[in-house]
Amino acid sequence: MKNIITSILIGSTVLTMNAQNIKDNPLLKDWTGNYGGVPAFNEYKVSDFKPALEFAMQEKLNEVNAIANNPKPATFQNTIAALEKAGKKLSRIYAIYGIYSSNMSSPEFEPVEAEMEPKLAEVSDKITQNTKLFQRIEAVYNSKEKSKLTLEQQRLIKVVYDNYVYAGAKLDAKAKAKVSELNQQLAGLYTKFSQNLLSEENNQFVELKNESDFAGLTPEMKNACIANVKEHKLSSLGSVANTRSSVEPFLTYSSTRELREKVWQMFVNRGDNGNAQDNNATITQILKLRAERAKLMGFASHAHWKLSNTMAKDPANAMKLMMDIWKPAVAEVKIEVADMQKIVDKEGGNFKIQPWDYRYYAEKVRKEKYDLDQNEVKQYLQLDKLREGMFWVAGQLFDLKFVQVNDVTVYQQDVTVYQVLNKTTGKNVGLWYFDPYARKGKRSGAWMNEYRTQERFDGDVPTIVSNNANFIKGAPGEPVLISWDDASTLFHEFGHALHGLCSNVNYPTIAGTNVARDYVEFPSQLLEHWLSTPEVLKTYALNYKTNQPMPESLLAKIDKASHFNAGFATVELISSALIDMKLHMEGTSTIDPDSFERTTLAELKMPSEIVMRHRTPQFGHIFSSDEYSAGYYSYLWADVICADAYEAFTEAKGPYDKEVAKRLLKYVFSSGNTTDQGDAYRSFRGRDAKVDALMRAKGFPMVK
């Protein structure tokens, strides 16, 4: 998941502030030091955020107003390029604010976030709804002189113009005021949803009271449960944290069915417990406000509005893709469940497979069918070694080199920082921050942040990106072993980081990962393929005890089982995407989330043995912001492109084919949004992507 934190347009109302406090506020100071300047994390305090944000919002608004009120005729330079320069201070502060929100939340920070989010939404609208400003943008957009500009400048004009129209720049004054009011209300609700979810994840756990409760767990899983007890100061022997990185391994290996059910119930009911953190009423409000806003914008539903600036263009196109793959995926699940049920019956279990059984018995099927034990594989998946493997892949594909640096302050002691260089020229490309471990105050999951976007129209500005995960930290001196799924996620998020690091454009609005929502997951999902290449596994998948590489026999088993459990993974994802889309196609009707989820899944004939990857009350992708709302289908859309793109390598000389990699860098990873994404893909591949490649990748029968 790519988390955008630097590309918003915001401003503020006039504020009176103490000049000395502003002068001394470290958040308002320029980033200094090497690498184009870096955040001074050792100087920031939560109490700095409100005054810094308010000052920087006013400063940006002043800069934008100066552009809007320029008496000279609108030109590319005095309007479009000038907007690219506006609000740099605010972008820096907002980057740090985003880190505190996602990685370092606290009771002290939460009220600041709750107060500032509506203000940020309000002032964003002050810019996009500035009539004089939009008139100047529109004048440049319609100018005959536009054809004399570079193709990148022409693209920037179109993107800026489209973004303003999308945000409601053409609405009348009354509609604009209502949209702004709705945006502020939504911002507050998004914060409430996120803080509720974080509270449930941080404060709920299942205690393991007896030694028998650890049955089936590996030593490192047991140690993680023990460490969780220490963090929460519990008296039990161990506990399972309410995060995916703790829950999924437990569900896979715990041989105590009652505990599996208890852990599963805890995890799938986040935000749905009828307590103060219950998210259902908040979701109902969000959906209603979104539908009202879409209607004001002139669209049938929130889904229609959101998809209007994507590759899919319309909900019907996204729905068709999902339903085409849903049917073969559900058929595959029936086969998977039948295989698992045979084992249950053979072992004398008097029950039908339930969702808390799926991972446990799937692992037994994997061993029986393919003689492949994920615990055996895990012994070779050391986090530090895999990180080195990712660096090597980046060097092979994109000529990048990663060097750890120690002259950069970090916000938490486990965060490491790497300078990224071009191997051939030695030029500084940017910085990569890595925050790998779970802790209290950090949201669950894995994501990429962009602290600073690459640009060079007003000086050569290198990018700063980060990857964030929730791996369970091992005991001092012990390697952190991760699952194959977690390793895939690690490569996925690194793909987002590389998309930002490889950016080679002039203007930040169209740089790096600032592309269509259903295209941004393509580079990241594509990079997952390189984890399973023999070159990576033979060199970087080293046994943590013997330091020996993964043997050929195990490599062969992994390859043979590459399609295993594809039905489960696909249904889990598409069910979430379908609920997301259908919720946002409902228009202005009042929706009860739990009831809607149950009814819709029943209509879809959702296999009873599986739940959505993200149930509605905990669906942070779509309810913590607008970013992925009516957009979770993007993972599947990008999956089609990704499967087709990887076949460009396999059809050539293999995953490390230099010529294909050059095209991938030129047309995908480095080009940002300098051209239409469909055109960019066709330039790389020579044609549009075909869904057949995805069906082959998953081992499903072809769609007819």
Side-chain angles (χ1 to χ4, degrees):
M1 175 182 178
K2 187 259 184 180
N3 189 38
I4 299 173
I5 63 173
T6 58
S7 61
I8 63 170
L9 292 167
I10 48 186
S12 185
T13 52
V14 177
L15 298 160
T16 302
M17 300 182 187
N18 184 296
Q20 186 60 44
N21 289 344
I22 292 303
K23 180 182 177 183
D24 294 339
N25 192 314
L27 282 167
L28 289 166
K29 296 176 182 177
D30 290 345
W31 292 356
T32 60
N34 297 325
Y35 322 111
V38 296
F41 285 112
N42 56 321
E43 298 180 10
Y44 306 142
K45 304 185 298 294
V46 171
S47 58
D48 296 328
F49 279 107
K50 181 182 175 181
L53 283 167
E54 288 177 336
F55 180 89
M57 287 189 292
Q58 181 59 47
E59 181 180 81
K60 179 166 184 178
L61 186 59
N62 292 342
E63 293 169 347
V64 169
N65 283 337
I67 298 168
N69 295 316
N70 188 338
K72 295 181 180 179
T75 66
F76 175 84
Q77 291 300 333
N78 70 19
T79 303
I80 306 299
L83 281 172
E84 292 294 280
K85 297 178 183 179
K88 295 295 187 185
K89 186 171 292 179
L90 182 58
S91 292
R92 292 194 298 270
I93 296 168
Y94 194 75
I96 308 304
Y97 171 84
I99 295 165
Y100 272 71
S101 175
S102 296
N103 302 60
M104 300 176 63
S105 190
S106 65
E108 183 186 10
F109 179 78
E110 285 184 353
V112 175
E113 185 180 32
E115 180 182 358
M116 296 312 299
E117 283 300 312
K119 290 183 178 181
L120 288 165
E122 177 189 9
V123 297
S124 174
D125 292 332
K126 284 181 178 291
I127 296 177
T128 57
Q129 295 182 2
N130 186 316
T131 302
K132 288 183 178 180
L133 178 64
F134 181 66
Q135 286 172 346
R136 294 181 67 83
I137 293 169
E138 192 170 36
V140 178
Y141 179 76
N142 292 323
S143 170
K144 293 179 181 178
E145 282 70 37
K146 185 172 68 172
S147 61
K148 298 177 183 178
L149 300 174
T150 67
L151 292 177
E152 184 179 339
Q153 289 170 334
Q154 292 179 46
R155 177 67 178 176
L156 176 62
I157 294 169
K158 175 176 170 50
V159 169
V160 170
Y161 175 81
D162 288 349
N163 285 347
Y164 274 69
V165 172
Y166 177 80
K170 286 191 170 185
L171 299 177
D172 61 37
K174 184 178 179 181
K176 283 180 179 178
K178 185 60 179 177
V179 166
S180 184
E181 178 189 332
L182 294 172
N183 285 339
Q184 291 172 62
Q185 291 179 46
L186 283 165
L189 291 169
Y190 298 154
T191 302
K192 183 179 180 181
F193 178 96
S194 299
Q195 291 182 355
N196 282 345
L197 183 56
L198 182 63
S199 176
E200 299 245 303
E201 291 174 343
N202 280 338
N203 299 312
Q204 293 179 352
F205 36 80
V206 170
E207 294 187 69
L208 306 179
K209 299 178 180 179
N210 305 303
E211 192 63 37
S212 60
D213 290 345
F214 294 103
L217 303 187
T218 63
E220 61 268 22
M221 289 181 205
K222 182 177 180 180
N223 290 337
C225 292
I226 293 170
N228 194 52
V229 160
K230 293 177 181 177
E231 182 177 348
H232 289 281
K233 298 180 174 59
L234 303 174
S235 58
S236 52
L237 294 179
S239 68
V240 182
N242 199 10
T243 63
R244 192 175 296 277
S245 55
S246 295
V247 167
E248 288 191 352
F250 189 87
L251 294 178
T252 304
Y253 294 106
S254 172
S255 55
T256 308
R257 190 166 187 250
E258 294 78 8
L259 276 176
R260 289 204 307 271
E261 180 179 3
K262 194 173 182 180
V263 168
W264 179 85
Q265 291 282 4
M266 172 185 71
F267 188 64
V268 302
N269 286 324
R270 290 168 295 150
D272 195 23
N273 289 303
N275 54 14
Q277 286 75 43
D278 192 286
N279 272 327
N280 283 288
T282 301
I283 291 168
T284 299
Q285 289 178 276
I286 288 173
L287 292 169
K288 189 172 183 179
L289 296 180
R290 281 175 171 170
E292 186 177 352
R293 180 180 58 186
K295 189 175 180 181
L296 285 167
M297 293 288 193
F299 290 88
S301 71
H302 178 76
H304 287 84
W305 176 60
K306 284 293 290 182
L307 269 72
S308 65
N309 69 346
T310 64
M311 294 184 76
K313 302 299 182 189
D314 185 272
N317 294 328
M319 285 296 296
K320 182 180 185 308
L321 173 65
M322 288 190 281
M323 292 309 299
D324 280 349
I325 299 175
W326 175 256
K327 294 168 187 175
V330 169
E332 192 68 23
V333 165
K334 291 179 180 178
I335 296 171
E336 293 172 2
V337 170
D339 287 340
M340 291 187 284
Q341 192 64 50
K342 287 177 185 176
I343 293 179
V344 172
D345 297 343
K346 187 167 62 176
E347 292 178 347
N350 187 26
F351 59 86
K352 296 294 183 184
I353 292 289
Q354 297 297 321
W356 50 89
D357 299 315
Y358 206 111
R359 286 180 172 84
Y360 181 73
Y361 284 96
E363 190 58 25
K364 290 193 172 216
V365 172
R366 192 196 312 264
K367 291 178 186 176
E368 187 175 274
K369 269 194 167 184
Y370 302 101
D371 190 25
L372 180 62
D373 184 344
Q374 284 292 80
N375 267 330
E376 181 186 1
V377 175
K378 195 172 183 179
Q379 310 310 304
Y380 294 87
L381 301 180
Q382 301 177 56
L383 178 59
D384 287 348
K385 295 295 183 183
L386 289 174
R387 186 191 60 226
E388 292 175 18
M390 295 192 311
F391 292 167
W392 181 81
V393 169
Q396 293 299 304
L397 296 179
F398 306 128
D399 203 31
L400 297 179
K401 178 182 180 182
F402 289 71
V403 180
Q404 188 169 353
V405 295
N406 298 304
D407 57 346
V408 173
T409 62
V410 294
Y411 54 84
Q412 207 275 341
Q413 62 183 5
D414 293 323
V415 177
T416 51
V417 185
Y418 294 79
Q419 183 183 17
V420 187
L421 303 163
N422 181 284
K423 285 199 303 183
T424 300
T425 65
K427 180 185 176 183
N428 176 54
V429 171
L431 291 178
W432 181 70
Y433 286 63
F434 188 40
D435 183 358
Y437 303 125
R439 61 177 175 272
K440 193 167 185 177
K442 185 179 184 182
R443 69 176 172 91
S444 63
W447 66 96
M448 169 264 196
N449 286 135
E450 195 169 66
Y451 301 168
R452 183 172 64 208
T453 306
Q454 177 268 332
E455 62 178 84
R456 60 165 183 264
F457 85 107
D458 189 32
D460 197 348
V461 178
T463 192
I464 301 177
V465 300
S466 74
N467 280 150
N468 312 270
N470 274 276
F471 300 117
I472 306 302
K473 191 176 181 181
E478 290 186 4
V480 175
L481 303 180
I482 65 177
S483 69
W484 184 267
D485 285 347
D486 282 342
S488 295
T489 300
L490 184 69
F491 270 67
H492 174 103
E493 297 303 333
F494 190 60
H496 281 310
L498 290 178
H499 196 186
L501 288 165
C502 289
S503 178
N504 186 26
V505 306
N506 289 301
Y507 301 97
T509 292
I510 52 175
T513 56
N514 292 324
V515 296
R517 170 61 50 218
D518 48 10
Y519 190 80
V520 75
E521 296 297 335
F522 157 45
S524 54
Q525 288 178 217
L526 180 62
L527 203 78
E528 293 178 36
H529 284 280
W530 274 266
L531 167 63
S532 58
T533 59
E535 292 87 345
V536 168
L537 294 178
K538 287 180 180 179
T539 307
Y540 299 99
L542 304 179
N543 187 284
Y544 80 103
K545 291 180 180 177
T546 66
N547 209 38
Q548 293 300 303
M550 193 176 284
E552 291 286 349
S553 58
L554 187 53
L555 287 170
K557 291 177 186 178
I558 291 173
D559 182 62
K560 188 178 179 183
S562 61
H563 296 154
F564 178 73
N565 225 25
F568 170 83
T570 307
V571 165
E572 187 189 45
L573 184 145
I574 299 182
S575 58
S576 294
L578 285 168
I579 290 290
D580 168 34
M581 190 64 72
K582 286 176 175 287
L583 279 169
H584 289 108
M585 290 172 67
E586 281 293 298
T588 55
S589 57
T590 301
I591 295 171
D592 174 75
D594 276 346
S595 175
F596 186 92
E597 181 184 304
R598 285 193 302 272
T599 302
T600 305
L601 292 178
E603 290 171 353
L604 290 167
K605 295 182 172 55
M606 173 79 166
S608 62
E609 301 86 1
I610 300 179
V611 291
M612 301 156 61
R613 182 165 181 81
H614 305 284
R615 283 200 57 238
T616 311
Q618 66 227 207
F619 209 161
H621 282 75
I622 66 172
F623 293 119
S624 63
S625 74
D626 266 338
E627 290 300 334
Y628 280 81
S629 60
Y632 198 69
Y633 79 92
S634 300
Y635 288 93
L636 185 66
W637 192 273
D639 223 359
V640 171
I641 306 172
C642 154
D644 187 81
Y646 191 67
E647 287 191 350
F649 283 92
T650 59
E651 289 165 6
K653 296 177 182 178
Y656 299 95
D657 185 284
K658 295 296 183 185
E659 291 305 313
V660 180
K662 282 180 183 177
R663 294 204 311 272
L664 185 67
L665 176 62
K666 180 178 179 180
Y667 296 115
V668 177
F669 275 80
S670 71
S671 61
N673 195 6
T674 55
T675 185
D676 174 82
Q677 273 84 71
D679 292 340
Y681 187 78
R682 283 185 287 274
S683 295
F684 163 69
R685 192 68 166 106
R687 55 167 175 75
D688 288 322
K690 297 179 180 179
V691 73
D692 293 4
L694 179 63
M695 306 305 281
R696 286 190 289 272
K698 292 183 175 293
F700 293 168
M702 293 298 174
V703 176
K704 296 180 180 179

